[in-house]
RNA sequence: GGGGAUUUAGCUCAGUUGGUCAGAGCACCUGCCUUGCACGCAGGGGGUCAAGGGUUCGACUCCCUUAAUCUCCA
């Protein structure tokens, strides 16, 4: 059976069991700092289990894209080395929310595996929770009974499992329960006869593997640690799709299934290196196949590779693939992007977002590959230089600090450094490298450690209510607080029962303002979000914590921010109108000062297009379109309203829809009541930010007004200076042309004048021994010219000692220059000389031994200074 | 969140302890050479040295702030 058929079979099977089939949630998670990527099938249903909102359907099944590359589950460095680790995988799952429980979950799992997929039951093993006396939880006999009715001969096929393997918990607190895992033995008959499978379950044997975990959520873990029975019981299951395919297709490796083989085959063709036979090459092909999947899906989900957070994780994954291609497959040119068609061919049907965004995915990957290859090239050059230097000194140990600098600052992989060392018969001081890395780790940990103190609860409040959509002031009480120390500065985090303060989210920066009670007033400098907590960052702790406070948002800043946020929506809409529907948001920043919007587009936005977009937005502003906001709208309904679906929305989630006429977006931010509040919209810059992504920055309202006024002021100044009512641009062009002509003339004259001055100085020059002293005070000569003249003299006459002074604009300047022969024979030092005489002009100076300059505030002393310098020079000759 | 680095001509980058230091290559323009193209030769235009402050007689260079980008750690 092909992989696509297996997936289809799973979904169809549960469809017949009255399950609602839902699409996979995006892999990239927004607005949850504890989790960057979806790492399990149940992520998108977390809120249902937590009881935060009811399930829209009692039975659901799906295939969920998951990523395990950060945090607790980090498989990245394992991928490729073996046959079963992945960064991205699909999780097949079926769920019951307060509906069916253990009986059906077990029976259906059994039916699906044995009847639908035809896995022989003697190869199947089921584990059940053995119980825990400390927790006072008995063995899961209920599950064992159901399994007992499935197997024809249950002995040795139903096994007890420990708390570690068979009791599932979401976190420290919250829903949890026993689980039952299904393992499959895919060894040959001989091997199975020699050693029964039940002895190998949960021992890490690569061919006796867990494929499905059925979790029975029946308890709630309370803060004190005790378990209480839940009124509603849930089922949460997850089956690794790639593993399942390996079992069904009778392969020994996930990478041998038809999920990966087309990709690996394409990789072999593009690189010209076959798969099979060479460990290094095979590893590289597997790495590339796995990582391409991950990166392509992430980009399709709206997460571009970037320099921080989730985007940086994606960048590193891609770079790991490039690195393997570079070292093991000798690929020095971008090639991974060429494999995309193969991925689309095998997965495009199930995940249409891939083909829909093929162009941008290809471009982004190509650009990233190129950038990293460049980084590698730079690193190689640096290493070559170091190696050459070390060779000169006769050393053959490459310092760890150098390797660390290459790695830390320039991103050059250390294993590549090692490889190059081997090629050069040198060794890397790994010990020192690790030391440097550890000090960096400690530094980061220290920083993280001092940050947050424990929360102190004042009033028990479950969820802060955000009241800031329609007001900027409210009466609040403090729910909890904590002290946070960072870089020696103490700040206070406050959580209220309700708040008008908007917490930074969705690109919109947090509100600032103050809270007050009686005579006390505490400033709130920023507002941030941590999971569902809205945290107000205050400069100090209020005196009376239990008092009632007036919370006041800086309404001017808020208004400016709202202006910018609404303008962002209008511009998004206008961009799609003017340059096309391919425009999709790739990033957004909204502050009181400005707005910044990144979006997919493949060429420069022309002046005309920018003007049209600006024009269109201003039209919408002038039309005074009134906002329509729908809170708690089901996702499906929002999409039906024509909302531009952004990323990070989960199935079943209630969303907030903000619309201004034709502009309809899902958005949690604050907006103006009607577009005319924005006043004016003005684009200030446009540029590239990554391959296929452009960035526009703009301002609104009073900021736009002052931006425009600044420009007009400059224009006024220009036309004023031109003293002409005609076209200033034409006038200036004329002026520039005249100016260049004049400059050329002046340059010529200056050369002549300098020559004249020179000849005058030459005429007055005095010979002393083997040197000639040129001296004098010139009139109104700028320091640069003075230098030029002195320089010319010292070049034309090697025996010259030049001492010149000049006053201009109330400032005095001196220059001393020595011709080459003069410098040698006289042992004079220009710096010494100029320092000796510069006090005469109330200044100081310096330079090089053959040429020094000085400046001062007393032009009257110029003659004195020059005379003194001449006298000093003469004395030394 | 913390550390390191980068920002100089349209592009890729040099620029030493502050002082004839604003440069190179490519690209561009003009002319010559060539049947044409590429090459070659000669000449030329193009810079708020990221932005804003400060120190200094003098700042691309030192200090501070800000922004963007790169990179490592958490």
């Amino acid at each position: 059976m092909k992989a696509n058929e297996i997936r289809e079979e799973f979904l169809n099977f549960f469809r017949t069991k009255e399950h609602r089939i839902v699409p996979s949630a995006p892999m990239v998670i927004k607005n949850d700092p504890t989790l960057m990527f979806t790492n399990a099938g149940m992520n998108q249903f977390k809120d249902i289990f937590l009881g935060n909102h009811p399930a829209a359907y009692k039975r659901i099944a799906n295939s969920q894209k998951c990523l395990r590359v950060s945090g607790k589950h980090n498989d990245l460095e394992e991928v490729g080395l073996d046959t079963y680790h992945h960064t991205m995988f699909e999780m097949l799952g079926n769920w019951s929310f307060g509906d069916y429980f253990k009986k059906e979950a077990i029976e259906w799992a059994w039916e699906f595996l044995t009847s639908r997929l035809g896995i022989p039951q003697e190869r199947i093993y089921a584990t059940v929770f053995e119980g825990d006396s400390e927790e006072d939880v008995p063995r899961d006999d209920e599950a064992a009974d159901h399994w007992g009715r499935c197997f024809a001969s249950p002995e040795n096929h139903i096994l007890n499992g420990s708390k570690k393997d068979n009791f599932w918990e979401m976190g420290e607190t919250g829903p949890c329960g026993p689980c039952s895992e299904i393992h499959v033995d895919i060894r040959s008959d001989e091997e199975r006869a020699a050693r029964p499978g039940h002895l190998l379950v949960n021992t890490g044997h690569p061919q006796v593997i867990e494929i499905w975990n059925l979790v029975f959520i029946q308890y709630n873990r309370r803060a004190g640690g005790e378990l209480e029975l839940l009124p509603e019981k849930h089922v949460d299951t997850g089956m690794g799709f790639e593993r399942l395919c390996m079992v069904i297709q009778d392969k020994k490796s996930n990478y041998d299934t038809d999920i990966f083989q087309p990709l690996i085959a394409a990789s072999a063709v593009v690189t010209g290196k076959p798969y099979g036979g060479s460990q290094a090459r095979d590893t590289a092909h597997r790495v590339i196949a796995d990582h391409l999947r991950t990166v392509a899906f992430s980009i399709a989900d709206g997460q571009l590779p970037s320099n921080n957070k989730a985007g940086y994780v994606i960048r590193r994954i891609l770079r790991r693939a490039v690195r393997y291609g570079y070292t093991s497959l000798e690929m020095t040119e971008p090639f991974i992007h060429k494999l995309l068609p193969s991925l689309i061919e095998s997965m495009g049907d199930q995940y249409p977002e891939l083909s829909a965004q093929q162009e941008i995915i290809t471009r982004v990957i190509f650009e990233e590959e190129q950038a990293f290859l460049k980084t590698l090239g730079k690193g190689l050059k640096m290493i070559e230089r170091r190696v050459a230097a070390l060779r000169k000194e006769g050393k053959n140990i490459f310092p760890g600090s150098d390797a660390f600098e290459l790695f830390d600052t320039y991103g050059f992989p250390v294993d590549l450094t090692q490889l190059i060392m081997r090629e050069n018969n040198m060794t890397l001081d790994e010990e020192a490298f690790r030391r440097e890395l550890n000090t960096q780790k400690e530094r980061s940990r220290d920083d993280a450690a001092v940050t947050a103190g424990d929360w102190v609860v004042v009033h028990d409040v479950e969820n802060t209510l955000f009241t800031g959509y329609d007001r900027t002031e409210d009466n609040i009480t403090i729910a909890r607080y904590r002290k946070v120390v960072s870089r020696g500065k103490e700040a206070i985090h406050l959580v209220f029962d309700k708040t008008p303060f908007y917490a930074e989210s969705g690109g919109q920066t947090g509100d600032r303002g103050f809270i007050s009670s009686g005579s006390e007033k505490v400033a709130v400098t920023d507002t941030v979000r941590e999971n569902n907590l809205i945290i107000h960052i205050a400069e100090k702790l209020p005196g009376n914590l239990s008092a009632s406070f007036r919370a006041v948002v800086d309404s001017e800043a808020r208004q400016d921010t709202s202006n910018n946020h609404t303008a962002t929506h209008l511009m998004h809409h206008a961009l799609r109108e003017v340059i096309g529907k391919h425009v999709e948001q790739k990033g957004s920043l909204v502050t009181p000062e400005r707005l910044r919007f990144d979006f997919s587009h493949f060429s420069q936005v022309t002046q005309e297009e920018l003007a049209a977009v600006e024009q269109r937005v201003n039209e919408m502003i002038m039309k005074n379109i009134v906002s329509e906001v729908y809170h708690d709208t089901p996702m499906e309904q929002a999409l039906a309203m024509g909302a531009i679906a952004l990323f990070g929305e989960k199935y079943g989630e209630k969303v907030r829809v903000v619309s201004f006429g034709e502009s309809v977006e899902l958005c949690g931010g604050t907006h103006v009541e009607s577009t005319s509040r924005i006043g004016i919209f003005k684009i200030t810059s446009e540029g590239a930010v990554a391959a296929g992504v452009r960035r526009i920055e703009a301002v609104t309202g009073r900021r736009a007004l002052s931006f425009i006024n600044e420009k007009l002021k400059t224009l006024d100044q220009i036309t004023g200076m031109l003293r002409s009512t005609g076209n200033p641009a034409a006038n200036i062009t004329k002026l520039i042309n005249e100016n260049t002509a004049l400059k050329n003339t002046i340059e010529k004259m200056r050369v002549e004048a300098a020559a004249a001055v020179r000849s005058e100085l030459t005429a007055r020059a005095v010979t002393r021994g083997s040197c000639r002293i040129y001296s004098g005070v010139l009139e109104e000569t700028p320091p640069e010219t003075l230098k030029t003249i002195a320089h010319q003299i010292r070049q034309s006459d090697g025996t010259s000692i030049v001492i010149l002074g000049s006053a201009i604009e109330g400032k005095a300047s001196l220059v001393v220059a020595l011709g080459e022969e003069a410098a040698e024979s006289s042992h004079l030092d220009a710096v010494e000389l100029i320092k000796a005489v510069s006090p005469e002009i109330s200044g100081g100076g310096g330079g090089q031994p053959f040429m020094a300059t000085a400046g001062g505030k007393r032009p009257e002393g110029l003659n004195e200074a020059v005379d003194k310098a001449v006298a000093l020079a003469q004395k030394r000759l």
Side-chain angles (χ1 to χ4, degrees):
Chain A
M1 222 191 287
K2 284 190 189 296
N4 280 333
E5 292 165 359
I6 295 171
R7 190 195 294 110
E8 212 34 56
E9 189 69 24
F10 176 86
L11 298 176
N12 275 334
F13 177 76
F14 281 100
R15 197 175 277 129
T16 64
K17 305 294 184 197
E18 288 155 31
H19 283 63
R20 173 83 180 190
I21 309 301
V22 304
S24 171
M27 280 196 306
V28 182
I29 294 174
K30 300 273 155 104
N31 287 335
D32 186 353
T34 61
L35 204 58
M36 282 195 290
F37 303 105
T38 298
N39 62 3
M42 55 74 64
N43 284 154
Q44 65 166 320
F45 306 112
K46 214 163 132 182
D47 279 341
I48 301 178
F49 289 124
L50 287 168
N52 289 352
H53 66 75
Y57 305 98
K58 296 251 172 214
R59 299 178 180 186
I60 286 178
N62 78 347
S63 171
Q64 173 68 45
K65 297 170 284 184
C66 299
L67 209 52
R68 287 195 177 163
V69 287
S70 56
K72 199 167 65 174
H73 299 289
N74 188 349
D75 293 345
L76 180 57
E77 287 307 318
E78 309 291 333
V79 171
L81 306 180
D82 55 38
T83 57
Y84 55 92
H85 272 100
H86 300 291
T87 49
M88 179 194 152
F89 58 93
E90 284 180 79
M91 191 79 107
L92 302 174
N94 56 295
W95 283 269
S96 153
F97 303 112
D99 192 45
Y100 64 83
F101 205 45
K102 293 179 189 175
K103 178 172 186 290
E104 292 84 351
I106 289 172
E107 281 175 1
W108 290 340
W110 179 261
E111 183 186 346
F112 180 67
L113 292 180
T114 56
S115 312
R116 296 299 178 105
L117 298 183
I119 300 177
Q121 59 164 284
E122 60 272 18
R123 288 177 179 269
I124 298 178
Y125 297 87
T127 64
V128 298
F129 183 46
E130 65 188 1
D132 188 302
S133 53
E134 261 177 53
E135 300 266 17
D136 198 22
V137 176
R139 174 173 186 263
D140 193 354
D141 289 330
E142 193 187 345
D145 282 350
H146 293 306
W147 282 121
R149 278 189 279 279
C150 294
F151 288 100
S153 48
E155 311 87 80
N156 288 335
H157 279 266
I158 302 169
L159 311 167
N160 282 342
S162 66
K163 189 175 163 189
K164 179 178 146 280
D165 286 326
N166 284 72
F167 194 86
W168 181 90
E169 305 204 44
M170 194 160 76
E172 302 270 299
T173 60
C176 57
C179 60
S180 193
E181 295 173 349
I182 301 169
H183 297 250
V184 176
D185 185 348
I186 56 171
R187 293 176 301 155
S188 66
D189 292 340
E190 298 78 47
E191 284 174 287
R192 289 198 300 127
R195 192 136 186 241
H198 70 267
L199 298 174
L200 297 171
V201 167
N202 271 334
T203 60
H205 193 287
Q207 287 169 38
V208 182
I209 51 175
E210 175 200 339
I211 58 164
W212 204 345
N213 190 5
L214 316 179
V215 180
F216 310 119
I217 296 173
Q218 59 192 60
Y219 301 110
N220 180 37
R221 170 87 66 191
R222 302 186 53 159
E226 66 271 30
L227 296 172
E228 64 179 7
L229 273 175
L230 284 172
E232 294 238 293
K233 296 183 173 50
H234 312 297
V235 173
D236 158 20
T237 85
M239 174 154 57
F241 178 60
E242 290 76 9
R243 276 187 186 187
L244 180 67
C245 290
M246 171 176 84
V247 170
I248 303 305
Q249 295 177 4
D250 196 21
K251 305 287 187 198
K252 297 287 179 255
S253 157
N254 293 356
Y255 289 97
D256 290 338
T257 63
D258 69 335
I259 302 171
F260 290 99
Q261 274 306 308
L263 281 178
I264 288 175
S267 175
V269 168
V270 169
T271 60
K273 304 281 188 302
Y275 183 68
S278 153
Q279 203 187 342
R281 282 207 303 264
D282 294 356
T283 300
H285 283 301
R286 286 194 292 266
V287 166
I288 290 160
D290 177 275
H291 292 359
L292 170 66
R293 255 170 41 117
T294 302
V295 172
F297 274 97
S298 295
I299 297 171
D301 267 5
Q303 183 57 64
L304 298 172
S306 75
N307 62 341
N308 51 29
K309 302 278 163 63
Y312 192 57
V313 173
I314 300 305
R315 172 171 282 169
R316 292 188 62 177
I317 293 171
L318 180 59
R319 288 165 42 138
R320 187 167 181 267
V322 176
R323 179 154 55 86
Y324 272 92
Y326 183 86
T327 48
S328 302
L329 304 174
E330 295 152 45
M331 296 305 290
T332 54
E333 294 294 321
F335 70 101
I336 295 172
H337 64 282
K338 293 183 192 158
L339 307 177
L340 193 63
S342 165
L343 177 66
I344 287 174
E345 203 185 327
S346 60
M347 298 191 78
D349 287 346
Q350 176 72 12
Y351 297 103
E353 64 265 35
L354 279 184
S355 37
Q357 300 195 58
Q358 177 166 8
E359 193 182 0
I360 190 162
I361 296 171
T362 307
R363 285 211 191 206
V364 168
I365 292 180
F366 172 74
E367 195 90 357
E368 281 289 323
E369 285 190 84
Q370 220 174 24
F372 184 53
L373 287 167
K374 214 172 118 188
T375 301
L376 288 181
K378 271 187 187 174
L380 288 173
K381 252 204 222 154
M382 289 170 101
I383 287 188
E384 271 167 32
R385 267 206 297 270
R386 300 277 165 92
V387 167
L390 288 170
R391 278 256 168 77
K392 246 188 192 163
E393 295 169 37
K395 291 177 182 164
N396 65 350
I397 293 176
F398 195 76
S401 55
D402 285 3
F404 184 74
E405 192 198 346
L406 277 164
F407 169 70
D408 179 60
T409 305
Y410 302 100
F412 194 79
V414 68
D415 48 359
L416 255 184
T417 306
Q418 232 156 357
L419 198 76
I420 292 162
M421 287 310 115
R422 273 201 294 279
E423 284 168 3
N424 282 285
N425 286 321
M426 297 181 89
T427 49
L428 169 65
D429 185 352
E430 283 182 63
E431 176 69 32
F433 176 82
R434 258 195 296 275
R435 246 195 332 268
E436 299 260 358
L437 189 63
N438 280 336
T439 54
Q440 152 132 295
K441 284 187 180 178
E442 270 161 37
R443 200 172 37 232
S444 294
R445 254 197 301 274
D446 287 350
D447 174 71
V450 289
T451 341
D454 275 337
W455 285 110
V456 179
V457 176
V458 182
H459 294 119
D460 209 358
V461 172
E462 280 206 5
N463 258 328
T464 306
L465 181 70
F466 177 62
T467 60
Y469 284 131
D470 32 48
R471 67 187 77 167
T472 54
E473 293 189 24
D474 212 337
N475 295 319
I476 58 102
T477 56
I478 294 172
R480 56 166 86 173
Y481 70 89
R482 70 178 172 191
K483 285 184 187 174
V484 173
V485 182
S486 65
R487 276 184 286 182
K489 277 181 114 182
E490 192 181 271
I492 301 296
H493 286 183
L494 299 171
V495 175
F496 307 150
D497 59 336
K498 58 183 170 175
T499 182
F501 282 84
Y502 182 83
E504 178 180 351
S505 168
Q508 179 178 336
T509 51
D511 277 334
R512 46 183 195 249
F514 63 88
I515 58 170
S516 66
S517 175
S519 60
E520 187 171 37
K521 190 167 159 183
V522 176
V524 173
T525 54
D526 197 4
T527 312
V528 296
R529 182 189 302 264
E530 220 176 87
N531 292 320
N532 283 326
L533 286 183
I534 297 175
I535 297 174
H536 306 78
I537 299 173
E539 54 180 5
K540 63 177 183 193
L541 196 62
N544 185 359
L545 289 163
S546 53
S548 174
F549 289 87
R550 186 75 180 158
V552 181
V553 173
D554 178 341
S555 56
E556 235 179 27
R558 162 68 82 78
Q559 179 68 52
D560 291 345
T561 307
S562 298
N563 281 347
N564 285 337
H565 206 151
T566 302
T568 302
H569 284 203
L570 299 182
M571 181 172 79
H572 190 181
H573 180 72
L575 278 168
R576 290 169 68 94
E577 262 186 15
V578 173
I579 61 179
K581 290 281 180 241
H582 62 278
V583 167
E584 284 196 41
Q585 176 171 340
K586 293 295 174 194
S588 168
L589 177 70
V590 180
T591 74
E593 287 79 27
R594 65 204 171 105
L595 64 96
R596 191 173 80 188
F597 188 72
D598 297 345
F599 57 98
S600 52
H601 183 57
F602 297 111
S603 55
Q604 193 177 6
V605 185
T606 64
Q607 287 296 321
E608 292 74 31
E609 286 167 335
L610 281 180
V613 167
E614 199 175 272
Q615 166 83 13
R616 186 73 188 90
V617 172
N618 280 312
E619 275 169 15
M620 289 189 273
I621 291 170
M622 285 184 275
K623 266 193 189 151
N624 194 22
I625 303 165
V626 177
S627 78
E628 286 176 67
V629 178
Y630 307 92
H631 293 272
D632 295 331
T633 309
M635 184 72 175
E636 290 74 8
Q637 197 180 322
L639 292 176
M641 289 164 69
I644 300 176
L646 295 182
F647 307 102
E649 311 300 337
K650 289 174 249 170
Y651 159 78
E653 203 171 49
K654 294 283 176 39
V655 293
R656 183 166 176 264
V657 180
V658 177
S659 83
F660 289 90
E662 291 167 32
S663 156
V664 184
E665 291 198 32
L666 308 183
C667 181
T670 65
H671 287 272
V672 298
E673 311 83 67
S674 69
T675 56
S676 62
R677 288 293 307 250
I678 298 169
I680 324 169
F681 170 80
K682 186 77 198 156
I683 292 173
T684 55
S685 77
E686 191 275 343
V689 55
V693 182
R694 309 295 301 184
R695 168 175 292 177
I696 288 183
E697 292 186 302
V699 287
T700 64
R702 52 194 180 131
R703 311 263 176 191
L705 198 60
S706 54
F707 178 84
I708 293 168
N709 279 336
E710 281 296 313
K711 297 275 180 203
L712 285 177
K713 204 170 122 193
T714 315
L715 186 61
D716 274 350
Q717 284 170 339
I718 290 169
T719 44
M721 285 188 293
L722 288 170
R723 293 183 202 291
S724 151
T725 48
N727 179 356
N731 275 326
I732 289 173
T733 312
K734 205 176 119 201
L735 279 178
I736 288 172
N737 291 339
E738 279 175 12
N739 188 41
T740 30
L742 285 173
K743 260 209 291 218
N744 290 337
T745 317
I746 288 174
E747 186 56 37
K748 233 182 262 169
M749 289 173 73
R750 195 189 272 162
V751 171
E752 282 163 22
V757 171
R758 245 174 22 225
S759 60
E760 198 192 320
L761 287 168
T762 309
R764 289 210 322 248
V766 238
T767 310
R768 270 286 180 289
S770 58
C771 299
R772 279 177 73 76
I773 300 178
Y774 299 71
S775 69
V777 176
L778 311 182
E779 285 186 17
E780 296 284 316
T781 312
E784 292 79 40
T785 314
L786 212 57
K787 270 195 203 172
T788 310
I789 294 169
H791 191 69
Q792 284 173 348
I793 295 176
R794 77 170 280 274
Q795 292 228 302
S796 62
D797 180 358
T799 67
S800 59
I801 296 174
V802 190
I803 299 168
L804 300 176
S806 155
I808 188 165
E809 287 164 5
K811 283 192 167 182
S813 57
L814 285 174
V815 59
V816 173
L818 306 174
E820 262 178 63
E821 297 151 43
E824 211 161 296
S825 64
S826 70
H827 299 294
L828 275 170
D829 184 337
V831 176
E832 202 181 299
L833 206 56
I834 209 146
K835 281 197 171 152
V837 303
S838 53
E840 298 296 333
I841 53 167
S842 295
Q848 290 147 292
F850 60 89
M851 162 80 78
T853 57
K857 295 162 204 145
R858 218 170 62 85
E860 310 87 82
L862 267 176
N863 285 316
E864 190 90 6
V866 170
D867 291 347
K868 205 172 156 188
V870 171
L872 272 172
Q874 286 181 346
K875 215 157 82 185
R876 290 282 295 270
L877 287 173

